[in-house]
């Protein structure tokens, strides 16, 4: 009953991205547990990855909460085993985390574009402010960590080096376990006028769901959604569809 201006395509995309965030959290947790083992013994690096895993899980919970506020329904999925067994060194672990965050940023950008194409500026504004911008800061942080790891000549074959020890003991972000600027998952959404392209998105005609490019919409979200999106019983969806066809 609270559903209003929330296209099914955007709802399905949110389900897919939420599942991807949970898988990313699982991967980061696996990396954190690896560096806490006795034969590796890098506690600050372990704390850093474990903290990032908690941040990604909070982001997934924020997405699910947003769906509930818009009257949507979350489709649960099976979380796959993280494919990070080859990350047996600090350099490889940082590269894996950076690649994962770049992939998540691309998913959110596609979901942002999908929201504008379906005339849902509220979702577009929320995705841009609360999810895309924090991911950009994380990618910059990982780039800085990788640069410093190369300067210290950290190994990539699993052998602990003096550079790994220096990174664990003296790097500020690793010692504190957080990025320089905390995420803003709980911050309020900016006004609609501050969201570039939102007004233009309202003027664009809505496209059929099958015409969207391969990404969050038809392929990725379908894989990550195990149940169909429930339809409203009051017939508003059918009326809206008839209205669009009449236009």
């Amino acid at each position: 009953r609270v559903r209003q201006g929330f296209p099914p395509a955007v709802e399905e995309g949110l389900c897919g991205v939420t599942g991807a965030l949970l898988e990313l959290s699982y991967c980061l947790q696996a990396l954190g547990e690896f560096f806490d083992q006795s034969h590796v013994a890098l506690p600050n690096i372990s704390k850093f990855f474990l903290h990032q895993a908690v941040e990604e899980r909070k982001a997934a919970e924020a997405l699910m909460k947003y769906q509930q506020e818009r009257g949507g329904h979350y489709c649960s999925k099976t979380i796959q085993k993280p494919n990070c067994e080859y990350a047996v060194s600090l350099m490889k672990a940082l590269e894996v985390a950076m690649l994962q965050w770049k992939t998540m940023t691309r998913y959110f950008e596609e979901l942002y574009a999908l929201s504008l194409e379906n005339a849902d500026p509220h979702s577009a504004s929320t995705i841009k402010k609360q999810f895309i911008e924090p991911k950009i800061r994380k990618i910059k942080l990982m780039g800085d960590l990788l640069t410093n790891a190369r300067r210290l000549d950290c190994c990539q074959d699993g052998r602990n080096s003096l550079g790994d020890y220096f990174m664990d003991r003296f790097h500020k972000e690793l010692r504190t376990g957080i990025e320089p600027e905390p995420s803003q998952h709980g911050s309020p959404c900016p006004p609609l006028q501050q969201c570039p392209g939102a007004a233009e998105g309202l003027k664009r005609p809505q496209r059929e769901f099958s015409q969207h490019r391969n990404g969050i919409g038809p392929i990725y979200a379908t894989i990550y959604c195990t149940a169909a999106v429930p339809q409203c019983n009051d017939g508003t969806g059918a009326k809206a569809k008839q209205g669009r066809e009449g236009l």
Side-chain angles (χ1 to χ4, degrees):
R1 295 183 179 181
V2 302
R3 190 184 186 96
Q4 190 270 332
F6 191 37
V10 177
E11 181 181 6
E12 190 174 359
L14 286 171
C15 288
V17 175
T18 301
L21 282 173
L22 292 175
E23 287 195 345
L24 174 58
S25 175
Y26 192 12
C27 177
L28 294 173
Q29 184 176 359
L31 292 175
E33 297 295 341
F34 171 79
F35 288 103
D36 197 32
Q37 299 180 59
S38 60
H39 68 284
V40 184
L42 297 174
N44 290 326
I45 295 175
S46 172
K47 182 175 66 174
F48 172 79
F49 282 113
L50 292 176
H51 176 82
Q52 299 302 326
V54 173
E55 287 291 310
E56 298 305 322
R57 188 160 57 249
K58 288 181 179 178
E61 294 172 355
L63 270 183
M64 288 186 280
K65 180 65 176 178
Y66 176 74
Q67 278 189 294
Q68 295 174 4
E69 292 176 351
R70 295 294 303 277
H73 302 271
Y74 171 67
C75 302
S76 59
K77 64 175 291 290
T78 301
I79 303 299
Q80 303 295 329
K81 178 182 178 180
N83 185 21
C84 58
E85 292 85 356
Y86 60 92
V88 294
S89 64
L90 176 59
M91 286 285 293
K92 290 187 178 297
L94 293 176
E95 291 173 355
V96 168
M98 188 172 187
L99 178 61
Q100 294 286 336
W101 273 318
K102 283 185 176 180
T103 303
M104 284 304 309
T105 303
R106 178 170 59 86
Y107 290 161
F108 277 115
E109 288 172 351
E110 292 180 0
L111 187 58
Y112 172 80
L114 184 66
S115 301
L116 292 180
E117 290 175 359
N118 285 268
D120 187 6
H122 190 276
S123 295
S125 176
T126 302
I127 292 166
K128 178 183 178 181
K129 183 65 176 179
Q130 299 189 27
F131 298 98
I132 294 181
E133 293 181 2
K135 292 295 180 293
I136 296 298
R137 292 195 295 267
K138 287 181 184 293
I139 293 173
K140 174 61 168 62
L141 171 62
M142 300 310 294
D144 295 343
L145 292 176
L146 279 170
T147 299
N148 291 332
R150 293 190 182 98
R151 287 171 177 168
L152 294 173
D153 197 20
C154 294
C155 296
Q156 299 191 27
D157 55 1
R159 297 179 300 173
N160 293 330
S161 65
L162 189 60
D164 295 342
Y165 176 81
F166 285 152
M167 287 286 292
D168 180 77
R169 293 298 177 183
F170 301 113
H171 207 287
K172 177 182 177 182
E173 284 75 25
L174 294 178
R175 285 189 291 107
T176 57
I178 59 176
E179 58 270 18
E181 297 183 12
S183 302
Q184 301 178 359
H185 294 307
S187 61
C189 298
L192 185 59
Q193 292 78 5
Q194 297 180 7
C195 179
E200 290 79 0
L202 287 175
K203 300 177 182 179
R204 299 173 184 171
Q206 295 190 359
R207 303 179 183 177
E208 293 297 331
F209 182 62
S210 59
Q211 296 179 355
H212 290 299
R213 59 189 178 279
N214 296 341
I216 287 300
I219 293 183
Y220 186 83
T222 303
I223 296 176
Y224 281 81
C225 285
T226 58
V229 180
Q231 300 295 330
C232 299
N233 296 326
D234 55 358
T236 54
K239 294 179 181 178
K241 183 177 180 180
Q242 294 176 2
R244 292 195 300 268
E245 292 177 353
L247 292 176

